[in-house]
Amino acid sequence: MTYALEARGLRREFGHVRALDGADFDIDPGEVVALIGDNGAGKSTLVKALSGSLAIDSGELYSDGKRVTIDTPAAARALGIETVYQDLALAPHLDPVQNMYLGREVMRSGLLGRLGFMDHAEMKEKTQRAFADLGATVRDFSAPVGAMSGGQRQQIAVARAAAWASRVIFLDEPTAALGVVQTRNVLDLIRRVRDRGIAVVLISHSMPHVIEVADRIQVLRLGRRVATYDAKKTSMEELVGAMTGAINQEAA
Amino acid sequence: MTTATEPEQDAVADEEQPKTALQRLVGAQAFQILGVLLILIVLFSLAEPAAFLSVNNFRNVVVNVSILAIIGVGMTFIIITGGIDLSVGSVLVFSGVVAAKLMEALGGQGVGVSILGALAACASGTLWGLFNGVVIARLKVPPLIVTLGTLGMALGAAQILTGGIDLRGAPTVLTDTVGFGRLFGQIPYLSLIALLVVVIGAVILHRTRFGRYTYAVGSNDEAARRVGVKADRHLILVYTLAGFCAGLAGILNLAFFSSTTIAGQSNTALNVIAGVVIGGTSLFGGIGTIAGTVIGLFIPAVLQNGFVIMGVQSFWQQVVVGAFLIAAVYVDQVRRAAASRGASTRRSLLSRFSRPSGARRKEAQ
């Protein structure tokens, strides 16, 4: 079995604090894995380490079974790994198309392209197609995203990640600030991304959402993975037990 | 944020239909300010039809705006990134002094000498801009402070080079063409050069990747960095571009006045900034157009011209322009508040004035 992304024994210390204390992680292609844990369990640190935003002290990373180093966000992108941060990282004054292609603009062919002219029509068409494929409810492709609802912005951020990711997408608290309808849209979006064979890592505090959308749930505690559950067969009580330390599957 | 009202708002936003190009145009601050400009022109035309409504008078106004418009192109880029450049007036003077000194040393007359002088002015402006950009982007000193510093440095350096006395006299060929010459006896070359710079600036800002990154860096520089945009390098280039514009304005200023106008540029930067802001470019970054800047620069020029013709003390122009500036920034604030709470920008300006308190509260969260 080769995982889309696999981590073994990641360690990272901040001074005397062991943020990651031999943490393991793995995810199959086309799988949604939720990463849960109490505050300070190491979720954010693990995601940063896996997406190239943070260097690790020791440990091994594998992508499709091959040993890799992910020490910069660019290295992560090159491996087909995209991250949707909690603050979304969209430019509010730019429209969805401009945000979608920010940093990856499609240039006109020939001399015009070399002079820095962009192919607006191509970018707009591809963005509309990508959004339609994912069922995103964004209608106005020329309005600034800052004027859109929180749910629409989240959809744009997820759609952008899905458009560029070929292996893994990390979603950090994607439903934290959303209403009921908007949350539903984002969860649907996550399933459609998964159905394309992309692995989705979901970091969330919302147990009902986690149980609903994830295939597997990995529990972090004190910087290491303490349990992995099949989302179909677990319960809220079991997950809370693992998070608080009452249950420890992986202890020897 | 109250979760109870959230789904309702979202549902409204989701049903919103895309705006047409026309609705977008009418909603733009540059378009509204163009209406104000046209109203001013109509009022002055009604009051003084003979004197105000003449080709000669309009040409005067256009010439007065030309040099400021060139500086305004660079300033628009800078303000869209969320920055500011107070040094442009001093850089203009310094560049004029360098050009005048060089041309004097080379004999003082001739086409070749003029071209070298122009190149020297552009180069010195570019170097000041590069200096501003490097200090702001790499050393992280706030733009207000850096360019306040270079405002003093460039002016001081110009005074050191000249002993504080204006250099007079530019090559005749330069003053006769660029300074006072007209194409077909009608269109001033000075204004043609300005038009060229404005058009090139607008194309770069609105059509190229460089322009796109300018908006992106001003809108959310962290987002731009995360997707691989070299934000620091981009800022340096934007300030360098503005320096180049100020340098070009320096040689044109020298050609027009046949003087380095050392003491005459202390308000240039502020006048340009006022024009840029009146034209709808947001001081908070991410929003702005070159067309707006040009229109915004015409408003003070038309007011000045109209007041002089009507015999109103021209001091009133400063009062009115000041009020315009404050009103422009207020409208920008209301607009930003409306945009960030997810409201439609399609609503009329008036309806937004009647309910800004909710907008502010929402943005504060």
Side-chain angles (χ1 to χ4, degrees):
Chain A
M1 181 81 239
T2 57
Y3 293 109
L5 186 64
E6 182 183 5
R8 289 287 164 250
L10 298 190
R11 281 176 203 283
R12 169 74 203 216
E13 291 183 12
F14 298 103
H16 294 294
V17 180
R18 282 188 193 163
L20 291 179
D21 187 14
D24 297 334
F25 179 81
D26 45 61
I27 185 165
D28 284 326
E31 186 186 32
V32 179
V33 170
L35 202 53
I36 64 171
D38 208 352
N39 290 339
K43 303 188 295 288
S44 298
T45 313
L46 178 58
V47 170
K48 280 182 188 158
L50 295 175
S51 59
S53 308
L54 184 79
I56 45 172
D57 295 334
S58 66
E60 291 156 17
L61 294 167
Y62 301 89
S63 175
D64 284 346
K66 282 191 289 288
R67 178 86 188 260
V68 291
T69 345
I70 305 176
D71 47 4
T72 62
R77 278 199 295 274
L79 288 167
I81 299 170
E82 292 285 327
T83 309
V84 179
Y85 300 94
Q86 206 169 349
D87 55 5
L88 301 181
L90 298 175
H93 301 96
L94 300 187
D95 67 36
V97 180
Q98 294 168 342
N99 266 296
M100 183 90 166
Y101 280 91
L102 187 57
R104 290 168 162 128
E105 288 79 5
V106 177
M107 307 309 284
R108 298 266 284 272
S109 53
L111 180 66
L112 279 177
R114 226 163 300 149
L115 286 174
F117 287 86
M118 300 172 290
D119 191 339
H120 295 281
E122 167 94 4
M123 287 192 278
K124 183 161 187 180
E125 195 205 316
K126 282 191 173 164
T127 304
Q128 283 171 332
R129 208 185 310 146
F131 280 39
D133 285 352
L134 290 169
T137 61
V138 174
R139 306 255 165 73
D140 193 343
F141 287 89
S142 326
V145 303
M148 298 184 181
S149 71
Q152 285 175 322
R153 270 181 278 175
Q154 188 73 58
Q155 290 181 14
I156 293 165
V158 174
R160 175 170 75 176
W164 302 114
S166 54
R167 272 202 187 85
V168 186
I169 295 182
F170 289 96
L171 299 173
D172 192 0
E173 294 283 4
T175 57
L178 300 186
V180 179
V181 182
Q182 295 290 314
T183 299
R184 194 103 329 264
N185 287 339
V186 169
L187 294 182
D188 287 344
L189 198 54
I190 291 173
R191 289 193 192 93
R192 280 190 285 265
V193 171
R194 171 198 63 193
D195 292 344
R196 291 175 170 185
I198 297 171
V200 180
V201 183
L202 177 67
I203 297 97
S204 180
H205 273 110
S206 167
M207 293 300 141
H209 295 161
V210 161
I211 291 177
E212 181 188 334
V213 79
D215 299 306
R216 278 190 303 145
I217 300 170
Q218 307 198 8
V219 185
L220 278 181
R221 189 173 136 71
L222 302 176
R224 59 172 61 183
R225 182 169 70 184
V226 291
T228 304
Y229 296 105
D230 182 335
K232 304 284 168 305
K233 295 173 194 151
T234 187
S235 66
M236 197 99 79
E237 291 71 26
E238 200 172 22
L239 294 178
V240 173
M243 279 167 67
T244 54
I247 305 171
N248 194 343
Q249 272 184 349
E250 298 207 348
Chain B
M1 200 176 280
T2 49
T3 45
T5 62
E6 190 75 0
E8 193 193 340
Q9 282 180 357
D10 288 346
V12 172
D14 282 356
E15 282 162 18
E16 218 162 76
Q17 289 307 306
K19 289 191 270 290
T20 64
L22 183 66
Q23 283 169 328
R24 243 177 253 292
L25 179 68
V26 172
Q29 189 166 344
F31 189 80
Q32 290 161 357
I33 215 76
L34 178 63
V36 172
L37 178 63
L38 292 177
I39 289 169
L40 286 178
I41 291 174
V42 169
L43 288 180
F44 284 128
S45 301
L46 291 175
E48 296 282 343
F52 187 79
L53 261 188
S54 70
V55 172
N56 257 328
N57 190 47
F58 272 76
R59 188 159 45 215
N60 274 343
V61 175
V62 170
V63 165
N64 286 341
V65 168
S66 294
I67 289 178
L68 292 181
I70 291 173
I71 304 175
V73 168
M75 189 69 81
T76 306
F77 275 86
I78 287 182
I79 295 184
I80 289 174
T81 68
I84 198 88
D85 189 347
L86 300 177
S87 71
V88 285
S90 298
V91 171
L92 180 157
V93 168
F94 180 87
S95 305
V97 165
V98 168
K101 280 269 176 198
L102 180 76
M103 292 191 293
E104 198 180 75
L106 291 173
Q109 293 298 335
V111 175
V113 170
S114 301
I115 291 174
L116 286 176
L119 290 176
C122 292
S124 67
T126 304
L127 287 176
W128 278 111
L130 180 66
F131 179 78
N132 280 337
V134 167
V135 176
I136 289 164
R138 297 273 185 240
L139 306 186
K140 309 288 178 200
V141 183
L144 188 79
I145 299 304
V146 174
T147 59
L148 188 60
T150 48
L151 176 153
M153 289 163 70
L155 189 62
Q159 286 167 326
I160 292 168
L161 285 175
T162 58
I165 301 151
D166 271 320
L167 298 172
R168 300 193 176 272
T172 318
V173 61
L174 189 67
T175 52
D176 283 355
T177 55
V178 174
F180 292 101
R182 294 177 189 167
L183 184 65
F184 311 129
Q186 288 299 323
I187 311 164
Y189 284 114
L190 189 66
S191 302
L192 281 178
I193 294 171
L195 180 67
L196 186 69
V197 172
V198 163
V199 169
I200 293 174
V203 167
I204 293 176
L205 183 61
H206 301 299
R207 287 275 163 262
T208 68
R209 181 161 58 187
F210 185 86
R212 177 67 49 82
Y213 287 178
T214 304
Y215 285 103
V217 168
S219 180
N220 183 348
D221 67 333
E222 183 57 31
R225 274 176 231 276
R226 282 187 197 168
V227 293
V229 174
K230 296 188 180 86
D232 288 352
R233 188 174 141 252
H234 193 78
L235 274 184
I236 293 174
L237 289 174
V238 166
Y239 280 90
T240 307
L241 172 74
F244 169 82
C245 289
L248 178 61
I251 188 74
L252 298 183
N253 187 67
L254 182 65
F256 187 65
F257 291 106
S258 293
S259 159
T260 48
T261 64
I262 291 174
Q265 303 292 341
S266 50
N267 280 333
T268 301
L270 296 180
N271 289 339
V272 171
I273 292 167
V276 171
V277 171
I278 289 173
T281 299
S282 172
L283 283 169
F284 302 93
I287 301 174
T289 59
I290 298 285
T293 294
V294 173
I295 298 165
L297 286 168
F298 263 106
I299 284 187
V302 167
L303 277 173
Q304 171 96 32
N305 179 267
F307 283 169
V308 169
I309 288 173
M310 287 178 69
V312 180
Q313 272 190 317
S314 65
F315 305 125
W316 278 103
Q317 184 255 4
Q318 298 179 41
V319 177
V320 176
V321 170
F324 260 112
L325 182 63
I326 293 172
V329 174
Y330 174 65
V331 171
D332 177 49
Q333 295 271 37
V334 174
R335 193 184 295 267
R336 288 167 57 85
S340 70
R341 73 178 156 172
S344 163
T345 43
R346 203 191 310 167
R347 271 192 217 112
S348 79
L349 206 58
L350 278 177
S351 78
R352 268 187 262 130
F353 279 98
S354 61
R355 44 182 308 205
S357 60
R360 294 220 188 92
R361 205 173 345 112
K362 197 77 184 180
E363 189 174 46
Q365 283 170 354

